[in-house]
Amino acid sequence: MGKPAVAVPSHGRHSFRDPAGARPGGTVRLGKQPGTGWRYEPAAADDLRDAATSFRPDAGVHLRLRPDGTLAALRPDYFATRFARAVRRLQFPDFSPARFLGAVERLADHCRPLLRDPESAFYLRPSMAAAHGEQRWVFELSAYLLPSAFGTGFVPLHLRCAADVPRGLHLCWVDDARARLVLTPVTSDDVSALARASVAVLAPRWGLRVSERQLSMAQWHRLNLQGRVSEAFVCGGPALVQQVGRIGLGDWSRPVRSGQPGPTVIAARRHLFRLQLGQAADPDSWMLLLR
């Protein structure tokens, strides 16, 4: 498979948006040409910023150091499967989930000595690019050290109908009257839907039926005015569950109920946080432990 390599990139290496406040920690690269398989290669072999075709999702995998010294990744298999579907739809060569997980393990081994602060984590972000007239394809998995990735406080969001929801975030709301959690529909290859998928599995255990419904922001605002929305939140990345405290339309806005975090968003945030630390049961085997 070629000589494996992990390179430490400079801040200017990547042409896509890096996570805010993050420091580059390393990159694993695999390359492929027509008629050959994927092979590990030096991560600084060439510059892909001018690649003709590229796929750089606004999502990644969290890598956390547990108190017992074990590295843990939250649902990388789910992410790897979605990434494989996405690159296949974009007509890149197949990149199997097993190969993706192999890159995660290789990069995790490099990152382990750099994780010293219990509040920090590594965010592993993938990209795929075609270069040289699509006669060469490159997969990169890059690690970014997040100094404070798992804060437990709540900073509610204020969503306005005139503004687009940031890409990679998925809107969710709870209708207490019907004991229902309503999720925005997503495609089967949306790699940013990991936290949303986790909440969808957990909600029935908290007594909520799960359904999907596509709503505009204006419809959200009307439902909130009618008192139908008992709590609202957005999901993004591997484990982000963030409360929506107010929903606005033009110059008017209204809190979601009291504007305080509701039981669903509190339970989801706490469970995903404790799961990564090894402080919660993992009946679904969501955590990949890298010893």
Side-chain angles (χ1 to χ4, degrees), residues 82-160:
R82 291 294 181 108
F83 185 83
R85 290 174 184 166
V87 297
R88 190 180 305 119
R89 177 177 59 81
L90 295 170
Q91 299 185 338
F92 284 102
D94 283 349
F95 196 83
S96 70
R99 197 175 298 280
F100 187 99
L101 293 175
V104 168
E105 293 187 16
R106 192 176 300 275
L107 191 53
D109 188 57
H110 168 78
C111 292
R112 183 186 299 271
L114 305 176
L115 276 177
R116 302 184 182 94
D117 185 341
E119 290 298 318
S120 64
F122 269 104
Y123 193 45
L124 310 183
R125 293 186 60 174
S127 65
M128 183 81 76
H132 306 300
E134 299 198 353
Q135 291 302 302
R136 171 174 158 75
W137 300 274
V138 174
F139 167 84
E140 284 191 345
L141 186 66
S142 299
Y144 297 88
L145 181 62
L146 305 178
S148 182
F150 295 93
T152 55
F154 287 86
V155 180
L157 302 177
H158 182 185
L159 295 186
R160 288 189 175 275

Side-chain angles (χ1 to χ4, degrees), residues 133-248:
E134 299 198 353
Q135 291 302 302
R136 171 174 158 75
W137 300 274
V138 174
F139 167 84
E140 284 191 345
L141 186 66
S142 299
Y144 297 88
L145 181 62
L146 305 178
S148 182
F150 295 93
T152 55
F154 287 86
V155 180
L157 302 177
H158 182 185
L159 295 186
R160 288 189 175 275
C161 297
D164 292 332
V165 177
R167 192 173 69 178
L169 294 181
H170 303 279
L171 295 169
C172 313
W173 60 282
V174 176
D175 181 351
D176 272 349
R178 301 183 182 182
R180 185 176 63 167
L181 171 67
V182 184
L183 307 176
T184 305
V186 297
T187 62
S188 65
D189 60 0
D190 186 341
V191 297
S192 66
L194 197 158
R196 174 196 178 279
S198 299
V199 172
V201 172
L202 295 169
R205 301 173 190 177
W206 303 328
L208 295 173
R209 293 179 292 110
V210 178
S211 63
E212 293 187 349
R213 183 179 175 187
Q214 187 68 53
L215 291 174
S216 68
M217 288 297 296
Q219 289 173 311
W220 261 57
H221 179 69
R222 286 195 295 271
L223 285 171
N224 193 42
L225 288 176
Q226 296 166 5
R228 290 278 304 280
V229 181
S230 51
E231 56 180 311
F233 52 93
V234 294
C235 294
L240 173 68
V241 180
Q242 190 71 31
Q243 176 207 1
V244 175
R246 299 182 71 91
I247 301 174

